[in-house]
């Protein structure tokens, strides 16, 4: 490639994805001498990151299907990519990965990489939806993608089975977190004061959810399960960490949550924080982590909870069942089974020794499998290999 710096464009729908998921890779790429730009919808987080020196190219990318808006995004992405003369375009999240890969191919980018944080199709879809989205992935894989990083091992096996792309053009990379940051021994807070500031008494038992407040994350299921529990046990609190973005596919669930809370007489036991940056501290005061999601890749929030030695209750779906060993690091529940979800939480609530054992097992599993540094090493090694192959052809 000569002596010039390699240019990489990281593409995703929203700036929060950059902050919460992509910065470790971006930082490593820049450390290695690559010139990295970021393309996403403008927002508060991207403005803060710009002040720290990160370079953004803005294109509004909706998460929902909207033909006119999606077409405008495609044109915007094409212009950014064409003018930037990038060597690699690396896409993330469903809508941005569809539009970004098409735009990159039209702009004749030499290398197009897609990270499947979780394929959009999943086992709980209708047959028609599943067929549509798997066919779309095959078309994108064949004509618009040079390489796929896959976070979930189950997704990797599915991609091989469906022949989404050639086996020599994809790699299972896993997912991970900073195991020093997410380590209960390293989080130094006064838990009593921290809980009091949130409106939780010192002896209160905390059930925690982290995620977007959308239906597919199962937040309504969790609230229904918690209501069943909270009627009989007055010392339980539900800590809901997260919000929705302005370009979200689901913009109704947050209002539904408000309506539910208006009709319960213990709304003081629902603590809704919005987006927070002090996740290790919030997990330290938590007793049980719950993610009743209907669609995941390899969810980072569960890894964070396990790394913080917390037992996990989650639905038995792709990604979640890969991370959580049933009855060892947590409890797997059939999707949509509110009674079983409530019972699983109650089982852990009543048994502090079980919580401790599962939490300790979860930490060990995180240390063995979910170290962020190893994930980034795989990505960087593959990117260097792709560039080396490109150079040999020039």
């Amino acid at each position: 490639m000569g002596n010039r710096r390699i240019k990489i464009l990281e593409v995703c729908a929203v700036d929060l994805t950059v902050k919460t998921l992509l910065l470790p890779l971006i930082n490593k790429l820049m450390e290695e001498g690559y010139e990295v730009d970021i393309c996403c919808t403008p927002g508060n987080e991207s403005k803060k990151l710009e002040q720290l020196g990160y370079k953004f190219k803005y294109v509004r990318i909706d998460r929902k299907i909207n033909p006119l808006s999606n077409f405008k995004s495609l044109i915007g992405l094409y212009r950014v990519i064409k003018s930037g003369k990038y060597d690699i375009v690396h896409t993330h999240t469903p809508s941005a990965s569809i539009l970004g890969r098409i735009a990159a191919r039209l702009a004749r980018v030499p290398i197009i990489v897609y990270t499947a944080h979780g394929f959009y199709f999943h086992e709980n879809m209708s047959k028609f939806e599943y067929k549509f989205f798997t066919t779309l992935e095959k078309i994108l894989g064949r004509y618009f993608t040079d390489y796929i990083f896959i976070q979930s091992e189950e997704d990797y096996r599915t991609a091989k089975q469906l022949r989404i792309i050639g086996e020599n053009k994809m790699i299972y990379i896993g997912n991970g977190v900073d195991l020093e940051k997410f380590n209960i021994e390293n989080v130094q807070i006064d838990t009593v004061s921290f809980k009091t500031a949130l409106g939780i008494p010192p002896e209160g038992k905390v059930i925690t959810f982290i995620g977007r407040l959308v239906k597919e994350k199962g937040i309504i299921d969790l609230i229904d399960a918690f209501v069943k529990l909270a009627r009989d046990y007055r010392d339980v609190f539900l800590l809901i960490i997260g919000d929705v973005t302005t370009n979200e596919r689901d913009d109704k669930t947050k209002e539904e949550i408000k309506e539910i809370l208006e009709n319960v007489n213990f709304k003081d036991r629902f603590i809704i924080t919005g987006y927070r940056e002090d996740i290790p501290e919030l997990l330290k005061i938590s007793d049980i982590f719950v993610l009743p999601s209907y669609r995941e890749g390899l969810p980072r929030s569960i890894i964070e909870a396990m790394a913080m030695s917390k037992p996990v209750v989650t639905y038995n779906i792709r990604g979640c069942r890969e991370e959580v060993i049933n009855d060892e690091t947590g409890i797997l529940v059939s999707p949509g089974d509110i009674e079983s979800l409530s019972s699983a939480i109650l089982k852990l609530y009543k048994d502090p020794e079980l919580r401790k054992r599962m939490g300790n097992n979860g930490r060990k599993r995180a240390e063995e499998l979910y170290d962020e540094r190893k994930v980034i090493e795989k990505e960087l090694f593959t990117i260097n290999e792709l560039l080396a192959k490109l150079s040999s052809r020039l």
Side-chain angles (χ1 to χ4, degrees), residues 190-204 206 285 287:
D190 181 333
T191 55
V192 172
S193 299
F194 201 89
K195 290 171 82 169
T196 301
L198 290 166
I200 302 171
E203 69 281 1
V206 181
I285 66 159
D287 295 284

Side-chain angles (χ1 to χ4, degrees), residues 150 155-165 167 170:
I150 303 178
D155 269 349
Y156 180 74
R157 292 195 301 268
T158 301
K160 284 173 65 175
Q161 181 184 352
L162 295 176
R163 297 180 181 177
I164 284 174
I165 200 169
E167 283 190 46
M170 63 179 179

